[in-house]
């Protein structure tokens, strides 16, 4: 049953490929698809912001006194 159906579809396909009308229609269809489909735009990547230095990095090499208000 399935094999018969596939053979019938294949015969119809071969018959259509011999038809000038079908081939013309297929070319028009391909052209319409190409004209109607917009070309994809390239994706734009966002710029990565520089990370702020950590407090440990900002104050590295600085000595802190144990008395905050020493005179």
């Amino acid at each position: 049953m399935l094999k018969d159906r596939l053979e019938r579809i294949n015969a119809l396909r071969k018959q259509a490929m011999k038809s000038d009308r079908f081939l013309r229609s297929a070319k028009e269809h391909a052209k319409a698809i190409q004209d109607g489909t917009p070309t994809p735009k390239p994706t734009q990547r966002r710029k990565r912001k520089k990370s702020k230095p950590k407090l440990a990095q900002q104050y590295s090499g600085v000595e802190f006194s144990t008395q905050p208000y020493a005179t």
Side-chain angles (χ1 to χ4, degrees):
M1 182 172 160
L2 181 61
K3 189 175 180 180
D4 295 334
R5 185 174 181 117
L6 288 175
E7 288 176 6
R8 192 174 77 217
I9 290 171
N10 194 27
L12 291 171
R13 180 190 61 82
K14 287 180 182 180
Q15 182 181 356
M17 291 303 291
K18 292 178 183 177
S19 170
D20 291 333
R21 182 178 173 197
F22 174 79
L23 293 175
R24 193 173 346 107
S25 174
K27 286 181 183 178
E28 289 174 4
H29 181 70
K31 185 178 178 187
I33 289 175
Q34 193 165 10
D35 291 344
T37 306
T39 56
K41 295 180 182 177
T43 57
Q44 294 181 351
R45 297 180 182 219
R46 292 184 181 183
K47 291 185 179 179
R48 195 175 209 175
K49 293 182 180 179
K50 292 183 180 179
S51 61
K52 294 180 182 178
K54 297 181 179 180
L55 287 176
Q57 291 173 343
Q58 286 181 347
Y59 292 105
S60 64
V62 177
E63 292 184 27
F64 293 101
S65 63
T66 55
Q67 300 174 357
Y69 300 107
T71 55

